[in-house]
């Protein structure tokens, strides 16, 4: 955890494929198979690439390193070119699981819940992640309280 004055920032990376190389090999084999079937059906290299990349794209969170960041603004998760983030002012619920924590902008569970918010995998940083989420939520609540009180 970095300290910049009073600001605390935490950055970490989780790479599931590195942790489970057998599953990564299976995903790669399925991607090659999908590419091969596509090439046979459509008869060209472009079809191979589409089939192959469709499988890899849908498993990007598993196959690619996922970079996480907690800072004064909020939380973010980056996989390849995809960036998902949420600001502390938008966090309504913190849902802790065994492998990670979901920061949700929804007050209660709904059908939209799986598609909203940011899921942060703990990796080896579980306590640091939970501590910093609590710290930043408290800081945000205090600053909102000061503003509401006119201070």
């Amino acid at each position: 955890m970095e300290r910049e004055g009073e600001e605390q920032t935490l950055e970490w990376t989780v790479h599931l494929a590195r942790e489970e190389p057998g599953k990564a090999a299976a995903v790669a084999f399925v991607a090659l198979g999908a590419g091969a079937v596509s090439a046979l059906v459509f008869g060209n290299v472009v079809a191979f690439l589409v089939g192959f990349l469709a499988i890899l794209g849908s498993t990007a969170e598993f196959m690619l390193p996922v970079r996480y960041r907690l800072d004064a603004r909020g939380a973010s998760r980056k996989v390849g070119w995809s960036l998902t983030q949420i600001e502390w002012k938008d966090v309504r619920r913190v849902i802790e699981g065994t492998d990670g924590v979901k920061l949700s902008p929804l007050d209660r569970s709904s059908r939209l819940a799986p598609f909203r918010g940011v899921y942060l995998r703990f990796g080896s940083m579980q306590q640091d992640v939970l501590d910093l989420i609590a710290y930043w939520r408290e800081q945000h609540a205090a600053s909102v309280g000061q503003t509401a009180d006119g201070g």
Side-chain angles (χ1 to χ4, degrees):
M1 196 168 352
E2 301 171 13
R3 255 190 195 273
E4 300 166 12
E6 285 302 307
E7 183 175 330
Q8 295 184 27
T9 300
L10 180 65
E11 294 180 332
W12 73 103
T13 301
V14 175
H15 192 181
L16 296 174
R18 185 171 289 157
E19 295 172 16
E20 300 187 62
K23 286 183 182 179
V27 169
F29 181 75
V30 169
L32 287 169
V37 168
S38 297
L40 287 172
V41 170
F42 296 103
N44 60 44
V45 176
V46 173
F48 174 85
L49 289 175
V50 169
F52 179 75
L53 293 176
I55 299 297
L56 288 186
S58 64
T59 59
E61 184 178 350
F62 178 78
M63 295 298 282
L64 299 175
V66 182
R67 291 177 179 78
Y68 301 95
R69 179 179 173 92
L70 294 171
D71 60 25
R73 287 184 23 183
S76 64
R77 171 184 168 274
K78 186 170 182 126
V79 183
W81 290 293
S82 174
L83 175 65
T84 308
Q85 53 192 10
I86 189 168
E87 294 183 11
W88 295 118
K89 67 179 177 64
D90 298 324
V91 176
R92 301 285 179 261
R93 287 189 313 145
V94 176
I95 306 151
E96 186 178 342
T98 55
D99 296 329
V101 62
K102 171 104 178 227
L103 303 178
S104 175
L106 303 175
D107 289 325
R108 60 186 185 280
S109 186
S110 74
R111 284 185 269 174
L112 293 175
F115 308 104
R116 303 288 306 274
V118 178
Y119 186 76
L120 308 169
R121 288 190 183 277
F122 294 134
S124 62
M125 308 292 287
Q126 181 173 359
Q127 198 57 54
D128 290 334
V129 170
L130 294 173
D131 289 348
L132 200 52
I133 288 171
Y135 171 81
W136 282 121
R137 290 196 75 209
E138 183 179 305
Q139 294 300 310
H140 178 71
S143 70
V144 169
Q146 283 180 336
T147 304
D149 294 341

